[in-house]
């Protein structure tokens, strides 16, 4: 049987290099939001929760997304200090799964990211009590207008909004194969370790 396995696709000395290479490809092929990840957390009872967020920063050894620190996702992420996320690029028929530990970004990256946003998005961050009950849309729009009027031009980053960094301990690369004989490689290490091990998995 003809094999579709492309060794170069999975080649790399460590997984972040492969991650970045796949991500660059996805930016060219996905119709929108190639950085959209399904982020999983668990609540205090161990019940999983998943939602999309945008993976805005890929660092040498970590990933950062931005959110409201009072939101459900942030509270749950910091409850266990652990999250997982999944990326599925339909255009490439590839998946990346990541598991790891979280830490609050110290604010430098969030300040830069926030400063580059449109004024409407900046004031929206102030106006949204993310994940809390909202009586009606008017209430949200009124809060947003009020912040726009108060701030006028210079909108500071709210201290309840910022980055969460994911420090990975497991990264799995998956590529579609004929007859569902897909290719999977998982990179693993223990928390605090720099060096990764890699092994191939049955599909
Ligand atoms: C494609 C997409 C991207 C999103 N990106 C973000 C994001 O970067 N940060 C964020 O807080 N919410 C983002 N959201 C909204 C979240 O999915 C979610 O509705 C919101 O953060 C509240 O989740 P929570 O109540 O679990 O905290 C995004 C939604 C979609 C569909």
């Amino acid at each position: 049987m003809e094999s579709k396995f492309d060794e170069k696709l999975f080649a790399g000395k460590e997984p972040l290099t492969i991650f970045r290479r796949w991500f660059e490809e996805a930016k060219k092929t996905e119709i929108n939001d190639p950085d959209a990840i399904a982020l999983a957390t668990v609540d205090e009872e161990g019940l999983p929760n998943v939602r999309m967020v945008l993976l805005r920063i890929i660092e040498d050894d970590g990933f950062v997304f931005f959110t409201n620190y009072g939101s459900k996702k942030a509270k749950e992420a910091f409850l266990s200090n652990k999250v997982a996320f999944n990326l599925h690029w339909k255009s490439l028929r590839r998946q990346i799964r990541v598991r790891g530990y979280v830490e609050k970004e110290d604010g430098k990256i969030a300040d830069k990211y926030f400063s580059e946003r449109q004024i409407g998005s900046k004031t929206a961050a102030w106006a949204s009590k993310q994940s809390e009950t909202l009586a009606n849309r008017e209430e949200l729009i009124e809060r947003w207008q009020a912040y726009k009027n108060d701030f006028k031009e210079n909108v500071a980053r709210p201290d309840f909004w910022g980055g969460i960094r994911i420090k990975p301990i497991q990264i799995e690369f998956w590529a579609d194969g004929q007859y569902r004989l897909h290719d999977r490689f998982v990179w693993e290490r223990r928390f605090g370790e720099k060096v990764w091990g890699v092994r191939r998995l049955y599909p």
Side-chain angles (χ1 to χ4, degrees):
M1 193 197 84
E2 191 192 328
S3 167
K4 262 182 66 182
F5 177 62
D6 173 3
E7 213 167 309
K8 279 196 229 121
L9 195 61
F10 293 92
K13 288 204 168 67
E14 50 78 39
L16 271 292
T17 309
I18 307 168
F19 191 107
R20 268 187 291 273
R21 199 173 62 231
W22 284 28
F23 188 53
E24 288 308 310
E25 276 184 71
K27 280 189 199 164
K28 292 181 203 138
T29 56
E30 284 292 289
I31 55 165
N32 56 31
D33 295 336
D35 59 346
I37 60 174
L39 176 82
T41 52
V42 287
D43 71 11
E44 57 283 347
E45 286 169 14
L47 190 65
N49 216 342
V50 65
R51 81 290 283 158
M52 304 306 293
V53 295
L54 298 177
L55 183 63
R56 283 310 199 195
I57 312 278
I58 301 167
E59 301 177 318
D60 287 346
D61 202 23
F63 307 94
V64 180
F65 67 92
F66 299 99
T67 196
N68 184 313
Y69 290 133
S71 68
K72 190 123 177 96
K73 81 180 79 53
K75 285 183 184 159
E76 290 182 359
F78 291 122
L79 192 69
S80 64
N81 283 324
K82 300 181 197 92
V83 296
F85 72 79
N86 184 296
L87 264 169
H88 175 216
W89 290 307
K90 291 188 179 171
S91 58
L92 297 175
R93 295 177 188 274
R94 286 185 220 163
Q95 168 180 249
I96 304 181
R97 294 165 64 175
V98 176
R99 302 170 80 207
Y101 288 74
V102 292
E103 63 186 30
K104 209 169 162 179
E105 194 273 318
D106 68 13
K108 284 193 200 78
I109 296 175
D111 281 339
K112 183 170 184 299
Y113 180 76
F114 193 82
S115 71
E116 289 163 0
R117 299 180 108 191
Q118 291 183 351
I119 188 154
S121 306
K122 290 177 178 172
T123 41
W126 279 95
S128 178
K129 300 184 214 173
Q130 195 175 54
S131 316
E132 287 187 26
T133 305
L134 172 63
N136 51 55
R137 186 162 174 89
E138 288 68 38
E139 185 181 310
L140 174 64
I141 302 302
E142 275 167 28
R143 283 176 59 81
W144 179 63
Q145 285 292 357
Y147 278 111
K148 266 175 55 171
N149 295 341
D150 283 355
F151 276 115
K152 302 204 172 56
E153 285 304 306
N154 294 323
V155 188
R157 176 175 65 89
D159 59 7
F160 57 80
W161 187 98
I164 296 181
R165 174 177 291 114
I166 302 164
K167 307 280 290 178
I169 58 159
Q170 196 179 86
I171 304 183
E172 184 200 310
F173 298 91
W174 182 102
D176 182 72
Q178 204 181 10
Y179 308 121
R180 303 197 187 276
L181 297 172
H182 316 298
D183 292 302
R184 297 174 68 187
F185 286 87
V186 62
W187 293 74
E188 291 162 309
R189 65 181 177 187
R190 275 195 291 268
F191 180 69
E193 282 180 356
K194 282 248 170 291
V195 181
W196 293 92
V198 61
R199 60 200 170 96
R200 193 173 186 144
L201 299 177
Y202 274 94

